[in-house]
Amino acid sequence: MKTAGPVTTPAPQIWISLPFFIFGFTSLGIGLFWLLCNPTMLEGHYYKPELLSWTHLIVLGWLVSMVVGAAYQLVPVITGRLLWSPLLAGLHAAIHIVCLPGMVLSFQTMDFYAISHWGSALFLGLLLFIINILVTAGWRARRSIPALGLVFAVTWLGIMLTVVLYALAAKYLPISKHPPFRLLQLHAHLGFGGFLLMTLMGAAYRLIPMFTLSPAVHPWRAGISLASFNLALIGLSLTLWFGWLIALPWIALLAAFSIILFLTEISTLIRNRKRRLDWGLRLFLFALYSLVPVMGFVLWQAFVMAGWMTAPAFALPQTYFLLTALCVLSLTIFGMAGRILPFLIWHWRYSVRVGHGPVPLVHELTSPSCQRWSALALMPATLLLAAGMVAVSPLLLQLGTGLFLVGFIINGVNLALLARHAIAPIPRSDAVKTTSFNRPQPAHL
């Protein structure tokens, strides 16, 4: 065992992110059970109470909670600066956890007066997040591709929130001549593409080299991929705002080009890696390459909206939403959670004990077996979900959701093993016993 001195690198306290992580996993569990009971809500038009309620539970309750919680930990690591205000982060967590259930329930009755109140509070919380992250990143963002990607992401989040407030105000004030459905499409695409996917790109450019010991990303290739994706988002915003639907296919092609550049750079990093791929990284890469079929559906939808192709028999917008939410973003979260969460808990509980006594290694906090079986359940589950959407088959959707739920439960077992260390430090010999069904593995983060 290494006998290095205590770790002194400053990092945010784990309590900042844990409320977001717990709330996020709870929201996903509720959302999966909801979809298992009623898969037909994904059929037909997307503007209906139950689907809007479920969508906001998955996007804000699960995805945004996990991304925000991870950002409060990763942005200081990426930029090399302390989080500007842990107090604002704690206030954001309280607002988010209290107000989101109210918004989700309000969508069930389409009470826009209540939605606007809950949404305004959520807007305030996310505004605190934006300020906190941008101040933390500071001038270092200009020197780091991953940090620049995260700054772009929170900027698009701010633009998306502005569109949402404008759309809600237009419900009661004569200030908008834009069709409501167009504003709904704009805020959905800016949320998914501008905030969540841009965050994914920036984080992947940092996490893949970190966990595979591959060389750093090529600044020009990575920079062009981020720049072209931002140009596509700007074009999409102008197109949907002014109704220039004929331009949508070209904008979608530009977005596809940026995704191809991104995946090409990721493939280069993987080829030059110096560490084997565990199941968490395999799941993460499976999710990243799932962007290819997702972009195919996005191109199809752009051609339909421009009048170049006819609409298919299945619900195309719900299809690429579901694939993006569950097949891409959720699997990247599961893949990296198996790496990031154990490290955060280890740093919190054991870093100060290094050199003063035996401490468990990071990979001993959880079970690689759980990680493997979770990945083996989640990957085919996403294929069943895609097949169910295209075939308009509630049975396939239920099978896919059920298998996804199995992978989610296995992840929960892994988190329970990790939670023991979060509650109280466990000596190394006892820590190894708690995961005694793990096969011996080389030490790694």
Side-chain angles (χ1 to χ4, degrees):
M1 181 187 300
K2 295 181 180 180
T3 58
V7 177
T8 58
T9 302
Q13 297 179 8
I14 190 65
W15 65 264
I16 295 175
S17 296
L18 274 181
F20 289 103
F21 292 156
I22 294 171
F23 185 73
F25 275 100
T26 303
S27 298
L28 178 61
I30 295 172
L32 290 174
F33 185 75
W34 190 348
L35 181 60
L36 184 65
C37 294
N38 186 19
T40 56
M41 67 178 172
L42 295 175
E43 300 175 3
H45 200 275
Y46 54 82
Y47 194 76
K48 49 188 178 183
E50 187 173 16
L51 183 54
L52 289 175
S53 182
W54 182 82
T55 298
H56 285 80
L57 175 65
I58 292 296
V59 175
L60 293 176
W62 159 237
L63 295 174
V64 171
S65 296
M66 297 302 292
V67 169
V68 165
Y72 280 132
Q73 298 290 330
L74 294 178
V75 170
V77 174
I78 290 174
T79 61
R81 296 161 64 96
L82 288 170
L83 184 67
W84 179 60
S85 176
L87 178 62
L88 287 185
L91 181 59
H92 176 203
I95 293 173
H96 189 79
I97 292 170
V98 170
C99 296
L100 183 60
M103 172 180 263
V104 170
L105 293 174
S106 298
F107 270 111
Q108 288 280 14
T109 58
M110 297 300 278
D111 183 354
F112 284 98
Y113 185 76
I115 291 171
S116 62
H117 280 77
W118 294 118
S120 298
L122 288 169
F123 173 88
L124 175 62
L126 288 170
L127 184 62
L128 297 178
F129 166 74
I130 293 171
I131 295 171
N132 218 349
I133 294 302
L134 290 180
V135 174
T136 300
W139 63 271
R140 285 179 180 264
R142 297 198 299 268
R143 299 189 177 187
S144 167
I145 291 294
L148 191 61
L150 293 176
V151 169
F152 284 143
V154 296
T155 302
W156 283 112
L157 174 63
I159 296 172
M160 184 273 291
L161 293 174
T162 303
V163 172
V164 171
L165 287 182
Y166 179 82
L168 287 174
K171 281 280 184 181
Y172 305 100
L173 301 174
I175 61 174
S176 175
K177 297 181 180 178
H178 299 85
F181 288 122
R182 191 126 348 121
L183 293 176
L184 181 63
Q185 292 170 345
L186 178 59
H187 112 265
H189 286 83
L190 290 184
F192 266 94
F195 177 53
L196 294 174
L197 287 183
M198 185 65 71
T199 299
L200 173 61
M201 294 171 72
Y205 280 145
R206 180 66 180 93
L207 296 175
I208 293 291
M210 178 190 300
F211 290 125
T212 62
L213 297 183
S214 57
V217 296
H218 190 281
W220 282 104
R221 288 195 298 264
I224 291 173
S225 69
L226 292 181
S228 57
F229 197 69
N230 275 289
L231 286 176
L233 290 169
I234 293 172
L236 175 67
S237 303
L238 295 175
T239 297
L240 292 178
W241 187 265
F242 293 106
W244 303 333
L245 300 184
I246 194 65
L248 281 177
W250 305 106
I251 294 168
L253 287 170
L254 179 59
F257 168 75
S258 67
I259 294 298
I260 290 172
L261 283 181
F262 167 67
L263 294 178
T264 301
E265 183 64 16
I266 294 297
S267 299
T268 302
L269 295 175
I270 295 301
R271 284 196 303 269
N272 296 325
R273 72 186 186 275
K274 297 178 182 179
R275 178 176 285 170
R276 66 181 179 83
L277 298 177
D278 61 14
W279 280 100
L281 286 172
R282 293 177 190 178
L283 185 63
F284 185 80
L285 292 173
F286 176 86
L288 292 185
Y289 289 114
S290 297
L291 284 169
V292 174
V294 167
M295 286 308 304
F297 285 116
V298 171
L299 285 168
W300 193 349
Q301 175 69 7
F303 292 159
V304 169
M305 293 183 67
W308 293 9
M309 296 178 66
T310 57
F314 59 92
L316 193 52
Q318 288 94 302
T319 299
Y320 69 76
F321 159 76
L322 187 71
L323 294 183
T324 304
L326 295 185
C327 302
V328 176
L329 296 169
S330 294
L331 295 197
T332 58
I333 291 172
F334 282 128
M336 278 302 166
R339 287 287 192 141
I340 296 173
L341 289 179
F343 176 74
L344 292 176
I345 297 297
W346 185 91
H347 190 283
W348 181 37
R349 280 299 184 191
Y350 298 109
S351 62
V352 296
R353 297 170 179 263
V354 173
H356 301 285
V359 298
L361 301 176
V362 174
H363 73 273
E364 292 171 348
L365 305 190
T366 57
S367 165
S369 296
C370 286
Q371 194 176 59
R372 178 175 67 252
W373 287 110
S374 174
L376 291 175
L378 290 170
M379 288 190 283
T382 60
L383 300 178
L384 285 172
L385 289 171
M389 289 301 299
V390 173
V392 196
S393 170
L395 177 60
L396 285 177
L397 283 173
Q398 286 180 315
L399 290 174
T401 305
L403 195 55
F404 202 102
L405 197 54
V406 170
F408 169 77
I409 293 172
I410 297 174
N411 264 287
V413 173
N414 230 5
L415 291 175
L417 295 174
L418 187 61
R420 293 193 59 188
H421 298 270
I423 295 171
I426 301 176
R428 183 165 192 258
S429 58
D430 294 340
V432 175
K433 289 178 183 178
T434 62
T435 56
S436 58
F437 48 89
N438 297 347
R439 296 179 180 178
Q441 294 198 2
H444 61 275
L445 290 182

